[in-house]
Amino acid sequence: MTYSIVETSHGEEQSIGEPACQSNADSPGIHSIASPFLMEFICEKDNLNLAYKKVYQNKGIAGIDKITVSQLAGWIKQHKEQFIDSLLDGTYRPRPVKGIHIAKPKGRGLRCIGVLSVIDRLVQNAIFQIIGDVIDCTFSENSFGFRKNRGALDAIQQTRKHILDGYKYVADIDIEKFFDNIHHDKVMYKLSRFVKDKRVLAIVRRFLQAGMWKYDLYVEKEKGIYQGGSLSPLLSNLLLHDIDVLLEERGHVFCRYADDIKIFTRSLKSAERVLGTTSKYLSQHLQLKCNEKKTKACPVQDSEFLGYKMDEHGLLMATQQNVEHLKYKVKKLTKRSRFIDIKVMIFELNQVIVGWTSYFRFDYRQEIYRDIDMLLRRRIRANIFRRAIVLRSKGLAWIRSIGCTNCNIDFAKTLWSYDISVGRANYVIPNQWFITNNLRSILQCKEKYRLPDT
């Protein structure tokens, strides 16, 4: 499937617009982003169509203007010339974002996020495609957050390497409400060192200053960056690049993932000293405040990083909070009152298991995940038996229909009890039944990803 936005009357696909300028570049980002004609490159038809493709693939809900992803092509077809002209003359105005609330895990309240309109997402993608790689290649090798071909597990492995190299103490720095407190002038100054086209700079600043509608209340934006847009990860890394440079110039061993900074030392005293100087630099030069509850100098085993804990030997384990959250998800999907198709339940559980093991693959522990596998099977057995008891006289036929052929219980005369769901269920629903029905084992999934020296 192709993703050009406008079709001709003969059904042949046509791009958003004709090229705004002639370029010898074969792909975005090869030419210098310091060009005073950068906006012309941004508005080239191939770049705009690629930006549209990404917005279309990412889907997402509509913004404040209520234009959906499926309606974007029609909007562009109707407003194509006006849209491109507003970008070229620098008058494009982003729409306010829509504030929505999403639930935090385990019922820990709500989080407010800003949803950009699909048109603004298109513009941000178009800008990012031209400037993103060029700016990113100047960033530190010790920075891992929101970067191409780098991720949290790469940061975890580098952290482990530092510990194995003898750095047993860490200055653990977490910036308080980082995205909400980014200073607009400072990040724009850093961007202007790369981008010289004032039209691009003006539009980026308008994105930073766009207000938010929370229901019927409009909130002005004086500082901070809305997460979710294509530019916010790039601009956040751009702002914090100076701290990377400072630490490298001073010869520190460190790892940074977005606003989470780990500086490794060989002594607690050194960790305390570097923590003080780095916190002072963040406050004075970047106007960012460290989170007092999470910022500390300590042995590595007392620190957490991206959901992992490590000991002084470099052994990795998921934090207890994340283990409890996994158990919470399992219990929620398998609660006894949830009467859905067993195959659907197993499919949902497999999604959780695959997601968990793909990230926490480096947790070296065996016993804890063997116990969670047992919990998983026990919860499914209890759900099946409870359902059969509720069905009464039809329960035996139903439980046999899902492949439990060993069952001969008269559910019309059976009352629910813990003993019935545990004692007899192991015989009626043996472990082989779960293998036959393709339930993933957390322990077996994790075995594929074990580090060679753990």
Side-chain angles (χ1 to χ4, degrees):
M1 179 178 180
T2 54
Y3 293 86
S4 298
I5 292 186
V6 182
E7 292 186 353
T8 65
S9 58
H10 300 290
E12 298 175 353
E13 291 178 339
Q14 178 181 330
S15 62
I16 290 180
E18 296 304 315
C21 71
Q22 296 297 322
S23 171
N24 294 324
D26 295 326
S27 60
I30 294 179
H31 48 72
S32 171
I33 65 172
S35 167
F37 304 105
L38 181 61
M39 185 57 80
E40 277 72 16
F41 289 113
I42 291 171
C43 291
E44 284 187 341
K45 63 176 182 179
D46 290 342
N47 188 55
L48 288 176
N49 280 327
L50 180 60
Y52 169 78
K53 175 181 177 179
K54 290 182 178 178
V55 173
Y56 185 88
Q57 289 177 328
N58 291 337
K59 302 300 180 180
I61 65 175
I64 198 69
D65 56 7
K66 299 182 180 180
I67 298 176
T68 64
V69 171
S70 60
Q71 295 171 332
L72 178 58
W75 186 94
I76 290 291
K77 183 176 182 180
Q78 184 177 356
H79 301 90
K80 180 179 66 176
E81 293 183 4
Q82 180 183 354
F83 170 65
I84 295 178
D85 287 345
S86 68
L87 292 173
L88 290 173
D89 61 25
T91 59
Y92 180 83
R93 298 278 176 180
R95 294 144 185 80
V97 303
K98 178 170 69 174
I100 63 172
H101 291 87
I102 60 174
K104 294 182 180 179
K106 297 185 71 172
R108 295 182 305 214
L110 299 174
R111 177 186 290 115
C112 182
I113 63 171
V115 179
L116 280 69
S117 72
V118 292
I119 301 162
D120 289 337
R121 285 178 238 167
L122 170 65
V123 174
Q124 285 207 16
N125 273 309
I127 296 173
F128 177 80
Q129 288 164 181
I130 299 297
I131 71 174
D133 288 345
V134 181
I135 296 177
D136 186 271
C137 70
T138 68
F139 292 157
S140 169
E141 288 296 311
N142 297 299
S143 169
F144 292 89
F146 313 124
R147 298 185 62 190
K148 184 184 292 186
N149 300 323
R150 287 170 166 258
L153 293 181
D154 299 311
I156 292 296
Q157 293 208 63
Q158 176 163 308
T159 298
R160 180 173 179 270
K161 179 180 179 299
H162 294 327
I163 295 173
L164 293 175
D165 288 341
Y167 295 91
K168 306 298 185 183
Y169 297 88
V170 61
D172 192 345
I173 299 174
D174 183 86
I175 301 174
E176 183 175 332
K177 297 181 179 179
F178 170 61
F179 283 94
D180 294 334
N181 291 310
I182 289 177
H183 195 281
H184 291 172
D185 288 341
K186 290 189 177 296
V187 75
M188 288 305 303
Y189 169 73
K190 296 180 186 302
L191 182 62
S192 67
R193 292 189 295 184
F194 294 92
V195 175
K196 303 302 179 183
D197 192 326
K198 294 183 178 180
R199 297 167 297 177
V200 178
L201 293 173
I203 290 176
V204 172
R205 181 177 281 276
R206 289 178 195 138
F207 274 118
L208 294 176
Q209 295 175 336
M212 173 189 286
W213 277 103
K214 292 183 180 180
Y215 303 105
D216 295 329
L217 178 65
Y218 182 76
V219 181
E220 295 283 352
K221 190 73 168 177
E222 297 180 354
K223 61 179 180 178
I225 298 177
Y226 296 116
Q227 298 183 60
S230 300
L231 292 175
S232 56
L234 178 68
L235 296 178
S236 63
N237 274 327
L238 184 59
L239 182 66
L240 290 177
H241 177 60
D242 282 1
I243 199 69
D244 297 340
V245 173
L246 175 71
L247 294 174
E248 287 174 347
E249 289 177 347
R250 294 179 177 179
H252 291 301
V253 173
F254 72 98
C255 181
R256 181 176 68 81
Y257 190 94
D259 60 327
D260 200 347
I261 308 169
K262 306 288 181 186
I263 309 170
F264 297 89
T265 65
R266 297 186 186 274
S267 70
L268 182 59
K269 187 175 181 180
S270 298
E272 291 171 345
R273 183 176 63 252
V274 72
L275 177 65
T277 56
T278 306
S279 300
K280 184 177 180 181
Y281 182 89
L282 287 168
S283 176
Q284 293 183 350
H285 293 272
L286 301 180
Q287 297 185 16
L288 295 171
K289 181 181 178 182
C290 292
N291 187 324
E292 295 181 359
K293 293 182 179 180
K294 298 182 179 180
T295 298
K296 59 185 177 181
C298 61
V300 292
Q301 60 266 31
D302 295 335
S303 177
E304 298 178 5
F305 190 35
L306 303 175
Y308 275 93
K309 286 183 70 70
M310 305 182 192
D311 68 10
E312 64 272 23
H313 306 295
L315 293 175
L316 306 172
M317 64 203 84
T319 62
Q320 186 60 33
Q321 181 181 5
N322 282 299
V323 173
E324 292 300 323
H325 187 49
L326 171 61
K327 293 179 180 178
Y328 170 80
K329 285 183 175 179
V330 168
K331 291 177 180 178
K332 184 177 179 180
L333 291 174
T334 58
K335 59 185 178 181
R336 292 191 295 270
S337 60
R338 190 168 185 251
F339 294 170
I340 65 169
D341 189 285
I342 291 297
K343 291 183 178 180
V344 173
M345 179 182 291
I346 290 177
F347 174 78
E348 293 174 345
L349 288 167
N350 284 342
Q351 286 184 312
V352 171
I353 292 168
V354 170
W356 171 270
T357 54
S358 65
Y359 185 77
F360 290 105
R361 61 182 70 173
F362 299 140
D363 191 330
Y364 75 96
R365 297 171 295 179
Q366 301 290 311
E367 192 63 33
I368 186 173
Y369 296 107
R370 187 177 293 110
D371 290 344
I372 295 177
D373 277 340
M374 292 173 61
L375 169 70
L376 190 59
R377 293 190 293 268
R378 186 168 65 248
R379 297 280 303 186
I380 295 175
R381 287 177 177 127
N383 178 281
I384 291 173
F385 263 63
R386 180 59 180 266
R387 198 179 316 190
I389 291 170
V390 170
L391 290 172
R392 308 306 292 169
S393 60
K394 299 179 181 178
L396 179 59
W398 174 79
I399 205 169
R400 286 178 173 174
S401 72
I402 62 173
C404 305
T405 56
N406 293 335
C407 187
N408 58 2
I409 301 172
D410 184 359
F411 288 100
K413 300 178 180 180
T414 303
L415 299 177
W416 168 260
S417 71
Y418 180 79
D419 292 337
I420 200 73
S421 68
V422 175
R424 303 182 68 178
N426 290 348
Y427 172 74
V428 173
I429 313 172
N431 288 351
Q432 182 60 41
W433 182 89
F434 297 100
I435 297 173
T436 303
N437 285 274
N438 300 316
L439 177 69
R440 300 288 186 94
S441 163
I442 298 176
L443 189 60
Q444 291 178 1
C445 288
K446 283 180 75 285
E447 282 294 320
K448 298 188 302 182
Y449 299 117
R450 289 188 69 192
L451 291 171
D453 55 346
T454 57

mmCIF file of all heavy atoms in Angstrom, residues 40-69:
data_model
loop_
_atom_site.group_PDB
_atom_site.id
_atom_site.type_symbol
_atom_site.label_atom_id
_atom_site.label_comp_id
_atom_site.label_asym_id
_atom_site.label_seq_id
_atom_site.Cartn_x
_atom_site.Cartn_y
_atom_site.Cartn_z
ATOM 1 N N GLU A 40 12.181 24.952 2.354
ATOM 2 C CA GLU A 40 11.899 24.424 1.022
ATOM 3 C C GLU A 40 12.176 22.922 0.961
ATOM 4 O O GLU A 40 11.449 22.168 0.315
ATOM 5 C CB GLU A 40 12.734 25.155 -0.031
ATOM 6 C CG GLU A 40 12.145 26.491 -0.500
ATOM 7 C CD GLU A 40 12.233 27.592 0.543
ATOM 8 O OE1 GLU A 40 13.001 27.439 1.522
ATOM 9 O OE2 GLU A 40 11.545 28.625 0.395
ATOM 10 N N PHE A 41 13.241 22.501 1.623
ATOM 11 C CA PHE A 41 13.525 21.064 1.677
ATOM 12 C C PHE A 41 12.439 20.320 2.460
ATOM 13 O O PHE A 41 12.033 19.226 2.094
ATOM 14 C CB PHE A 41 14.890 20.817 2.326
ATOM 15 C CG PHE A 41 16.052 21.232 1.467
ATOM 16 C CD1 PHE A 41 16.867 22.286 1.850
ATOM 17 C CD2 PHE A 41 16.325 20.572 0.287
ATOM 18 C CE1 PHE A 41 17.945 22.669 1.066
ATOM 19 C CE2 PHE A 41 17.404 20.946 -0.501
ATOM 20 C CZ PHE A 41 18.215 21.996 -0.116
ATOM 21 N N ILE A 42 11.985 20.929 3.540
ATOM 22 C CA ILE A 42 10.942 20.308 4.358
ATOM 23 C C ILE A 42 9.661 20.120 3.556
ATOM 24 O O ILE A 42 8.943 19.134 3.718
ATOM 25 C CB ILE A 42 10.693 21.149 5.620
ATOM 26 C CG1 ILE A 42 11.912 21.070 6.557
ATOM 27 C CG2 ILE A 42 9.422 20.712 6.354
ATOM 28 C CD1 ILE A 42 11.863 22.033 7.722
ATOM 29 N N CYS A 43 9.369 21.075 2.686
ATOM 30 C CA CYS A 43 8.120 21.050 1.925
ATOM 31 C C CYS A 43 8.207 20.271 0.619
ATOM 32 O O CYS A 43 7.256 20.295 -0.175
ATOM 33 C CB CYS A 43 7.659 22.482 1.629
ATOM 34 S SG CYS A 43 7.102 23.380 3.095
ATOM 35 N N GLU A 44 9.313 19.614 0.360
ATOM 36 C CA GLU A 44 9.385 18.788 -0.836
ATOM 37 C C GLU A 44 8.339 17.669 -0.766
ATOM 38 O O GLU A 44 8.036 17.143 0.308
ATOM 39 C CB GLU A 44 10.782 18.191 -0.992
ATOM 40 C CG GLU A 44 11.799 19.195 -1.496
ATOM 41 C CD GLU A 44 13.131 18.545 -1.814
ATOM 42 O OE1 GLU A 44 13.372 17.424 -1.315
ATOM 43 O OE2 GLU A 44 13.920 19.152 -2.543
ATOM 44 N N LYS A 45 7.836 17.296 -1.916
ATOM 45 C CA LYS A 45 6.721 16.352 -1.963
ATOM 46 C C LYS A 45 7.083 15.003 -1.341
ATOM 47 O O LYS A 45 6.275 14.412 -0.627
ATOM 48 C CB LYS A 45 6.228 16.161 -3.395
ATOM 49 C CG LYS A 45 7.249 15.551 -4.344
ATOM 50 C CD LYS A 45 6.639 15.308 -5.719
ATOM 51 C CE LYS A 45 7.648 14.652 -6.661
ATOM 52 N NZ LYS A 45 7.063 14.391 -7.980
ATOM 53 N N ASP A 46 8.291 14.493 -1.593
ATOM 54 C CA ASP A 46 8.668 13.197 -1.039
ATOM 55 C C ASP A 46 8.719 13.235 0.482
ATOM 56 O O ASP A 46 8.312 12.283 1.156
ATOM 57 C CB ASP A 46 10.023 12.754 -1.592
ATOM 58 C CG ASP A 46 9.955 12.391 -3.062
ATOM 59 O OD1 ASP A 46 8.834 12.151 -3.554
ATOM 60 O OD2 ASP A 46 11.013 12.357 -3.719
ATOM 61 N N ASN A 47 9.230 14.329 1.013
ATOM 62 C CA ASN A 47 9.331 14.453 2.464
ATOM 63 C C ASN A 47 7.955 14.559 3.115
ATOM 64 O O ASN A 47 7.678 13.938 4.135
ATOM 65 C CB ASN A 47 10.177 15.677 2.830
ATOM 66 C CG ASN A 47 10.466 15.746 4.316
ATOM 67 O OD1 ASN A 47 10.985 14.803 4.914
ATOM 68 N ND2 ASN A 47 10.103 16.862 4.933
ATOM 69 N N LEU A 48 7.062 15.352 2.521
ATOM 70 C CA LEU A 48 5.717 15.500 3.071
ATOM 71 C C LEU A 48 4.932 14.190 2.982
ATOM 72 O O LEU A 48 4.189 13.831 3.898
ATOM 73 C CB LEU A 48 4.969 16.619 2.350
ATOM 74 C CG LEU A 48 5.432 18.050 2.663
ATOM 75 C CD1 LEU A 48 4.675 19.043 1.797
ATOM 76 C CD2 LEU A 48 5.243 18.386 4.134
ATOM 77 N N ASN A 49 5.096 13.483 1.880
ATOM 78 C CA ASN A 49 4.386 12.211 1.741
ATOM 79 C C ASN A 49 4.911 11.166 2.718
ATOM 80 O O ASN A 49 4.144 10.348 3.244
ATOM 81 C CB ASN A 49 4.488 11.698 0.303
ATOM 82 C CG ASN A 49 3.504 12.399 -0.617
ATOM 83 O OD1 ASN A 49 2.417 12.767 -0.200
ATOM 84 N ND2 ASN A 49 3.894 12.589 -1.869
ATOM 85 N N LEU A 50 6.218 11.167 2.967
ATOM 86 C CA LEU A 50 6.772 10.262 3.962
ATOM 87 C C LEU A 50 6.245 10.607 5.359
ATOM 88 O O LEU A 50 5.932 9.707 6.151
ATOM 89 C CB LEU A 50 8.304 10.335 3.941
ATOM 90 C CG LEU A 50 9.039 9.434 4.945
ATOM 91 C CD1 LEU A 50 8.692 7.965 4.701
ATOM 92 C CD2 LEU A 50 10.544 9.650 4.852
ATOM 93 N N ALA A 51 6.126 11.901 5.656
ATOM 94 C CA ALA A 51 5.572 12.325 6.944
ATOM 95 C C ALA A 51 4.119 11.886 7.074
ATOM 96 O O ALA A 51 3.686 11.428 8.137
ATOM 97 C CB ALA A 51 5.685 13.848 7.092
ATOM 98 N N TYR A 52 3.357 12.009 5.991
ATOM 99 C CA TYR A 52 1.972 11.553 6.010
ATOM 100 C C TYR A 52 1.893 10.051 6.263
ATOM 101 O O TYR A 52 1.055 9.573 7.030
ATOM 102 C CB TYR A 52 1.285 11.896 4.695
ATOM 103 C CG TYR A 52 -0.058 11.228 4.545
ATOM 104 C CD1 TYR A 52 -1.178 11.726 5.203
ATOM 105 C CD2 TYR A 52 -0.198 10.070 3.784
ATOM 106 C CE1 TYR A 52 -2.409 11.087 5.095
ATOM 107 C CE2 TYR A 52 -1.414 9.430 3.671
ATOM 108 C CZ TYR A 52 -2.522 9.954 4.329
ATOM 109 O OH TYR A 52 -3.720 9.314 4.229
ATOM 110 N N LYS A 53 2.780 9.297 5.616
ATOM 111 C CA LYS A 53 2.795 7.840 5.781
ATOM 112 C C LYS A 53 2.983 7.465 7.250
ATOM 113 O O LYS A 53 2.305 6.573 7.772
ATOM 114 C CB LYS A 53 3.914 7.251 4.936
ATOM 115 C CG LYS A 53 4.115 5.756 5.120
ATOM 116 C CD LYS A 53 5.266 5.252 4.260
ATOM 117 C CE LYS A 53 5.520 3.768 4.499
ATOM 118 N NZ LYS A 53 6.637 3.254 3.654
ATOM 119 N N LYS A 54 3.888 8.151 7.929
ATOM 120 C CA LYS A 54 4.156 7.835 9.336
ATOM 121 C C LYS A 54 2.953 8.182 10.209
ATOM 122 O O LYS A 54 2.609 7.430 11.123
ATOM 123 C CB LYS A 54 5.401 8.576 9.810
ATOM 124 C CG LYS A 54 6.679 8.043 9.180
ATOM 125 C CD LYS A 54 7.916 8.756 9.707
ATOM 126 C CE LYS A 54 9.178 8.159 9.096
ATOM 127 N NZ LYS A 54 10.395 8.863 9.567
ATOM 128 N N VAL A 55 2.325 9.324 9.949
ATOM 129 C CA VAL A 55 1.140 9.694 10.725
ATOM 130 C C VAL A 55 0.031 8.680 10.499
ATOM 131 O O VAL A 55 -0.648 8.259 11.439
ATOM 132 C CB VAL A 55 0.665 11.114 10.348
ATOM 133 C CG1 VAL A 55 -0.668 11.437 11.022
ATOM 134 C CG2 VAL A 55 1.706 12.153 10.738
ATOM 135 N N TYR A 56 -0.141 8.272 9.256
ATOM 136 C CA TYR A 56 -1.187 7.305 8.921
ATOM 137 C C TYR A 56 -0.945 5.967 9.611
ATOM 138 O O TYR A 56 -1.868 5.339 10.139
ATOM 139 C CB TYR A 56 -1.238 7.119 7.402
ATOM 140 C CG TYR A 56 -2.369 6.234 6.927
ATOM 141 C CD1 TYR A 56 -3.626 6.769 6.654
ATOM 142 C CD2 TYR A 56 -2.164 4.868 6.745
ATOM 143 C CE1 TYR A 56 -4.664 5.945 6.220
ATOM 144 C CE2 TYR A 56 -3.185 4.047 6.311
ATOM 145 C CZ TYR A 56 -4.439 4.594 6.052
ATOM 146 O OH TYR A 56 -5.456 3.775 5.631
ATOM 147 N N GLN A 57 0.312 5.519 9.609
ATOM 148 C CA GLN A 57 0.641 4.223 10.208
ATOM 149 C C GLN A 57 0.511 4.254 11.725
ATOM 150 O O GLN A 57 0.109 3.270 12.334
ATOM 151 C CB GLN A 57 2.061 3.810 9.814
ATOM 152 C CG GLN A 57 2.194 3.404 8.352
ATOM 153 C CD GLN A 57 3.626 3.062 7.983
ATOM 154 O OE1 GLN A 57 4.575 3.626 8.529
ATOM 155 N NE2 GLN A 57 3.788 2.160 7.040
ATOM 156 N N ASN A 58 0.853 5.388 12.330
ATOM 157 C CA ASN A 58 0.807 5.488 13.794
ATOM 158 C C ASN A 58 -0.612 5.630 14.333
ATOM 159 O O ASN A 58 -0.838 5.479 15.541
ATOM 160 C CB ASN A 58 1.656 6.673 14.273
ATOM 161 C CG ASN A 58 3.133 6.438 14.075
ATOM 162 O OD1 ASN A 58 3.581 5.298 13.985
ATOM 163 N ND2 ASN A 58 3.902 7.508 13.988
ATOM 164 N N LYS A 59 -1.558 5.967 13.460
ATOM 165 C CA LYS A 59 -2.962 6.132 13.858
ATOM 166 C C LYS A 59 -3.076 7.182 14.960
ATOM 167 O O LYS A 59 -2.627 8.280 14.818
ATOM 168 C CB LYS A 59 -3.559 4.786 14.273
ATOM 169 C CG LYS A 59 -3.493 3.714 13.197
ATOM 170 C CD LYS A 59 -4.235 4.130 11.939
ATOM 171 C CE LYS A 59 -4.155 3.039 10.868
ATOM 172 N NZ LYS A 59 -4.878 3.441 9.634
ATOM 173 N N GLY A 60 -3.673 6.828 16.079
ATOM 174 C CA GLY A 60 -3.847 7.804 17.155
ATOM 175 C C GLY A 60 -5.178 8.520 17.034
ATOM 176 O O GLY A 60 -5.841 8.517 15.986
ATOM 177 N N ILE A 61 -5.580 9.165 18.132
ATOM 178 C CA ILE A 61 -6.867 9.840 18.170
ATOM 179 C C ILE A 61 -6.767 11.241 17.575
ATOM 180 O O ILE A 61 -5.673 11.777 17.391
ATOM 181 C CB ILE A 61 -7.417 9.905 19.609
ATOM 182 C CG1 ILE A 61 -6.511 10.788 20.491
ATOM 183 C CG2 ILE A 61 -7.537 8.523 20.201
ATOM 184 C CD1 ILE A 61 -7.063 11.001 21.887
ATOM 185 N N ALA A 62 -7.916 11.833 17.299
ATOM 186 C CA ALA A 62 -7.964 13.178 16.727
ATOM 187 C C ALA A 62 -7.580 14.218 17.772
ATOM 188 O O ALA A 62 -7.725 13.999 18.976
ATOM 189 C CB ALA A 62 -9.362 13.459 16.185
ATOM 190 N N GLY A 63 -7.093 15.345 17.300
ATOM 191 C CA GLY A 63 -6.749 16.449 18.181
ATOM 192 C C GLY A 63 -7.939 17.358 18.424
ATOM 193 O O GLY A 63 -9.095 16.966 18.263
ATOM 194 N N ILE A 64 -7.646 18.604 18.786
ATOM 195 C CA ILE A 64 -8.694 19.543 19.170
ATOM 196 C C ILE A 64 -9.597 19.902 17.994
ATOM 197 O O ILE A 64 -10.762 20.258 18.171
ATOM 198 C CB ILE A 64 -8.060 20.824 19.771
ATOM 199 C CG1 ILE A 64 -9.089 21.616 20.567
ATOM 200 C CG2 ILE A 64 -7.406 21.668 18.704
ATOM 201 C CD1 ILE A 64 -9.533 20.944 21.846
ATOM 202 N N ASP A 65 -9.077 19.784 16.756
ATOM 203 C CA ASP A 65 -9.880 20.120 15.567
ATOM 204 C C ASP A 65 -10.767 18.961 15.112
ATOM 205 O O ASP A 65 -11.505 19.093 14.135
ATOM 206 C CB ASP A 65 -8.980 20.569 14.423
ATOM 207 C CG ASP A 65 -7.909 19.545 14.072
ATOM 208 O OD1 ASP A 65 -7.957 18.426 14.630
ATOM 209 O OD2 ASP A 65 -7.027 19.868 13.260
ATOM 210 N N LYS A 66 -10.670 17.799 15.786
ATOM 211 C CA LYS A 66 -11.497 16.610 15.532
ATOM 212 C C LYS A 66 -11.252 15.971 14.168
ATOM 213 O O LYS A 66 -12.047 15.147 13.712
ATOM 214 C CB LYS A 66 -12.978 16.946 15.696
ATOM 215 C CG LYS A 66 -13.346 17.420 17.097
ATOM 216 C CD LYS A 66 -14.837 17.684 17.225
ATOM 217 C CE LYS A 66 -15.183 18.154 18.644
ATOM 218 N NZ LYS A 66 -16.622 18.422 18.820
ATOM 219 N N ILE A 67 -10.160 16.351 13.495
ATOM 220 C CA ILE A 67 -9.812 15.711 12.226
ATOM 221 C C ILE A 67 -9.072 14.416 12.534
ATOM 222 O O ILE A 67 -8.057 14.421 13.226
ATOM 223 C CB ILE A 67 -8.933 16.637 11.360
ATOM 224 C CG1 ILE A 67 -9.695 17.917 11.006
ATOM 225 C CG2 ILE A 67 -8.486 15.920 10.085
ATOM 226 C CD1 ILE A 67 -8.866 18.933 10.244
ATOM 227 N N THR A 68 -9.584 13.298 12.043
ATOM 228 C CA THR A 68 -8.984 11.996 12.314
ATOM 229 C C THR A 68 -7.905 11.687 11.279
ATOM 230 O O THR A 68 -7.775 12.370 10.255
ATOM 231 C CB THR A 68 -10.048 10.898 12.280
ATOM 232 O OG1 THR A 68 -10.587 10.816 10.949
ATOM 233 C CG2 THR A 68 -11.178 11.206 13.261
ATOM 234 N N VAL A 69 -7.147 10.624 11.546
ATOM 235 C CA VAL A 69 -6.106 10.208 10.612
ATOM 236 C C VAL A 69 -6.712 9.846 9.264
ATOM 237 O O VAL A 69 -6.164 10.177 8.210
ATOM 238 C CB VAL A 69 -5.322 9.010 11.198
ATOM 239 C CG1 VAL A 69 -4.379 8.424 10.169
ATOM 240 C CG2 VAL A 69 -4.546 9.438 12.441
#
